Amino acid sequence: MIETITRIPVAHFANVKPRAGYSIKVDSTEVALFKTTNGLVYALENRSPHPKGGVLSEGLVSGEYVYCPVYDWKISLIDGKVQAPDEGQVRTFKVEIKEDIIFIVL
């Protein structure tokens, strides 16, 4: 089976400020885009894994974690896992940067 890879341009690298979240729409999915202070870019589904929900793009970024703005859950930008003592996971998306353009890879 041949797998198709789709790269969707979502932002200019220079326009994304470190430690801030940005909400973008990729197909029918809302995605939160984050740039860390060391220049790495991560993309997660823009929905808190907490049972009552919430949006992650409004969360605080510290290192390679985002804190859910409503429930203060610490979530890894790398793998989307909620840190103990809480439990859960959010969907992550592969990111590529080419010539100042950030792409989400599906």
Side-chain angles (χ1 to χ4, degrees):
M1 181 171 120
I2 298 174
E3 187 174 323
T4 303
I5 296 173
T6 304
R7 288 178 182 83
I8 301 169
V10 294
H12 287 275
F13 182 81
N15 292 342
V16 177
K17 293 182 175 81
R19 301 184 65 199
Y22 296 86
S23 177
I24 56 175
K25 195 93 162 180
V26 177
D27 292 331
S28 62
T29 304
E30 194 170 330
V31 175
L33 194 66
F34 301 96
K35 184 196 291 185
T36 60
T37 54
N38 62 2
L40 297 175
V41 178
Y42 297 94
L44 288 81
E45 186 171 4
N46 194 22
R47 190 180 65 76
S48 173
H50 189 280
K52 293 185 180 178
V55 292
L56 294 180
S57 60
E58 297 174 4
L60 297 174
V61 176
S62 178
E64 293 181 333
Y65 296 94
V66 62
Y67 288 82
C68 172
V70 180
Y71 306 102
D72 202 36
W73 281 12
K74 183 178 180 183
I75 302 164
S76 170
L77 294 172
I78 297 170
D79 61 14
K81 290 184 182 176
V82 175
Q83 306 303 292
D86 302 304
E87 294 180 358
Q89 188 166 5
V90 66
R91 182 177 172 197
T92 59
F93 299 89
K94 184 177 178 183
V95 173
E96 291 182 359
I97 302 167
K98 293 186 181 180
E99 299 178 9
D100 193 50
I101 303 294
I102 300 170
F103 293 88
I104 300 292
V105 181
L106 302 177

